Amino acid sequence: MDISVIIVNYNVKYFLEQCLYSVQAALSKVQGEIIVVDNNSTDDSITYLQPRFAGVQIIANKENTGFAKACNQGLAIAKGKYILFLNPDTIVPEDCFEKCIAFFNDTPDAGALGIKMIDGSGTFLKESKRSFPSPLTSLFKLSGLSALFPKSKLFGRYHLGHLDNDKNHAVSVLAGAFMMIRKSILDTIGGFDETFFMYGEDIDLSYRIEEAGYRNYYFAGSTIIHFKGESTKKGSMNYVHLFYNAMSIFVRKHYGQGKAGVFSSLIHIAIWFRAVFSAIGGFMRKYGIPLFDIGLIILSFLAVKFVWAGWIKPDTIYSTELFWSAIPAFAIVYLITAYYAGLYDGKYKASELLSTTLIATVVLLAVYALLPEHLRFSRGIILFGGLLGFVFIGLFRYVLINLGVINSQRREEEHYKTIVVADPQAYNQLIDLMKRTHLPERILGRINPPGMEEPALAQWPDIHELRTSIPYHEIIYCGNSVRYSDIINQIQDLPKGIKVKIHAAGSQSLVGSHSKNITGEAVTHEQAFNLSNPHTQRLKRLTDVCVALLLLLSFPVHLFLVKKPFGLLYNSFAVLLGNKTWIGYAASGAGLPVLRPGIVASNGVPVKKQKVISFDSLYLLDFWYARDFVALNDIQILRNAYRNLGD
């Protein structure tokens, strides 16, 4: 057997699905096997994948053992002459394995091979080639100097930025996302060191391969897609901590105590340096925009009060205490409304900003109208302050969009923006899938794959020119009807800003990633559920909390109306604390959007008092509930099940 492909999976079943289709295509030219080690995924990976890939060997762990140990489990049963450790969020071209094995045959001193990697937008991933993390090299990386001078032979040597990306090179370290190694070497030196849980295990193995007298090579003769690229949290202190620990283990193991001490001192300097920027960056990412919004709201009210008191009603005296009570009230109402409207979800919609401002203004005016006369100061200031706040915050969002801090989800980008490269049969299957995800309106039409001349929107060579007449923003490539090698070659030449997704014919998902800094995105049939939408989930949680508070505030009334009133009291607190939801699933909920344990099931019957009917019937009720969810449905179910809410 030529090759054993070992893939460790943890909760990325759709990326793994697309990866396996590409690996199977690449194995058509060489003899090989696929071994998947699942690290106790909670997304039903095994149930989903096993029927679709009957020829794949799957090892199902009962706990997350870490990357190194899981790889060694696959290695223990592998039979190939070459072992490939491959990430699940990758796509390989059809001739990848064939070319890699040919390189090994032509290069006797090659012990292991890494490969040229690009992200989902076609951008080269610098972790494709690396040097050993000496104390100084690690310091340059963690301090940010390597990012400032990526091409420098001194500062940028961690990622070997001075070496040509399109030429083969002997390098020190290969990336764990794609490491092909002669099995005879692994039989001698062993597999990954299981002391490393995350990060560093590929560096350690690369080092031991060189110690055994072989060389590690960066191979530019083939290219793969690595969707997620570098971890999306590499700016966090958690990453810095994990990286430091991994590098410390490596240095103590291979460099001796003297160098380990120097390394520790230098890295601690870099840790503190990075900690300051991480803390500031993390705070701004999480709280910066809401804080700026509050500042703009205060500025709006101050500006309107200044104009109002100076030119419109100069003879009116406004209570400073009342004014400074109204500003925080408006800010609080605005932030709560904005959160539930989805204004802080990372994608900006002008309609969400408008609705948030209108709701917050109306709520504040309604509260204002209920106040006694001596506590009122000016409806005009509230109204125009809210409107000016809308203008200021809108301009602020415009600046953030142009700086790339947030994305704009304009109406024209939500509709009619996608072209599909596929044969007619694969295209129809994709349209079917898109209909189930409520996204069929995104499809402009079909592009013929290479060598096909059926009636279509355009031909393969004309895909660049097409954009001048039809401003598409996204391309979906259907694997099997288009060669993965053609896809990989083309996405490296696409204009900037074009989003790419890949869908293997017959699969139930599309995957893509528009940057190495953004977590990969999977479009699946599960998105047909309204309950999968983060905005909808927030509304469900808001409904839960409001109902729980209402029941607690009116508890004496329920003593005489609910069958188990003290059970109602317990359940209300459990919902408030986030341990339960009022309406949950009647069956297991497998394959449906995740919910907290329910008190009442989707059929209106207490979860613990379900009648003995078929599991399939209960599951169908849950399916409909998740698919068609609106918050008012929960209110209706609760009203009908009111007397049993104490169960």
Side-chain angles (χ1 to χ4, degrees), residues 1 20 44 131 162 220 242 251 268 279 332 442 489 584 606 619 631:
M1 184 177 293
L20 289 174
D44 295 319
S131 65
H162 62 285
L242 287 170
V251 171
H268 271 103
I332 291 169
R442 291 170 56 168
N489 288 334
Y619 183 84

Side-chain angles (χ1 to χ4, degrees), residues 247-266:
M247 295 306 98
S248 295
I249 293 169
F250 176 80
V251 171
R252 286 197 303 271
K253 179 176 177 181
H254 297 294
Y255 286 179
Q257 292 301 315
K259 285 190 177 180
V262 174
F263 175 86
S264 182
S265 300
L266 289 172

Side-chain angles (χ1 to χ4, degrees), residues 65-313:
T65 61
F67 178 79
K69 190 170 184 178
C71 282
N72 289 346
Q73 286 178 269
L75 177 60
I77 63 171
K79 302 180 183 68
K81 181 180 176 183
Y82 299 97
I83 304 296
L84 172 62
F85 298 107
L86 183 69
N87 267 26
D89 56 343
T90 56
I91 297 291
V92 299
E94 291 81 357
D95 57 0
C96 178
F97 302 158
E98 184 182 23
K99 285 184 174 180
C100 289
I101 291 172
F103 180 84
F104 272 113
N105 292 336
D106 295 337
T107 318
D109 67 339
L113 176 150
I115 203 163
K116 181 181 177 182
M117 297 189 293
I118 58 173
D119 66 17
S121 66
T123 303
F124 175 77
L125 291 172
K126 58 187 179 181
E127 65 266 31
S128 300
K129 47 184 171 61
R130 291 179 290 169
S131 65
F132 285 125
S134 67
L136 200 57
T137 301
S138 298
L139 176 63
F140 292 153
K141 175 177 167 56
L142 287 177
S143 65
L145 285 171
S146 62
L148 288 174
F149 306 102
K151 298 291 185 182
S152 167
K153 196 170 183 178
L154 175 63
F155 297 122
R157 65 184 180 188
Y158 183 81
H159 286 120
L160 300 172
H162 62 285
L163 297 181
D164 190 333
N165 299 336
D166 297 317
K167 291 182 179 178
N168 301 335
H169 301 283
V171 297
S172 301
V173 176
L174 305 177
F178 185 107
M179 286 185 79
M180 186 180 289
I181 308 169
R182 297 182 193 269
K183 187 170 187 297
S184 58
I185 296 176
L186 293 172
D187 290 339
T188 303
I189 67 172
F192 287 109
D193 184 341
E194 296 175 13
T195 310
F196 298 90
F197 184 84
M198 183 181 294
Y199 305 121
E201 64 282 318
D202 49 0
I203 300 174
D204 174 76
L205 185 54
S206 298
Y207 186 91
R208 288 189 283 124
I209 290 169
E210 286 202 345
E211 274 194 324
Y214 293 89
R215 303 182 79 181
N216 300 308
Y217 279 90
Y218 162 75
F219 179 56
S222 185
T223 305
I224 72 167
I225 299 174
H226 185 196
F227 282 112
K228 295 187 179 181
E230 294 188 286
S231 169
T232 58
K233 297 183 179 178
K234 288 201 172 182
S236 71
M237 276 307 297
N238 181 51
Y239 163 70
V240 175
H241 176 71
L242 287 170
F243 182 84
Y244 164 70
N245 280 341
M247 295 306 98
S248 295
I249 293 169
F250 176 80
V251 171
R252 286 197 303 271
K253 179 176 177 181
H254 297 294
Y255 286 179
Q257 292 301 315
K259 285 190 177 180
V262 174
F263 175 86
S264 182
S265 300
L266 289 172
I267 292 300
H268 271 103
I269 294 170
I271 288 283
W272 284 108
F273 185 79
R274 178 67 73 87
V276 173
F277 290 99
S278 258
I280 294 171
F283 180 84
M284 291 305 296
R285 280 191 296 272
K286 193 170 184 180
Y287 303 110
I289 294 178
L291 285 176
F292 270 105
D293 286 349
I294 290 174
L296 291 171
I297 289 168
I298 293 173
L299 179 63
S300 302
F301 271 81
L302 288 173
V304 171
K305 180 179 181 293
F306 177 78
V307 173
W308 207 262
W311 286 280
I312 298 176
K313 290 190 175 183

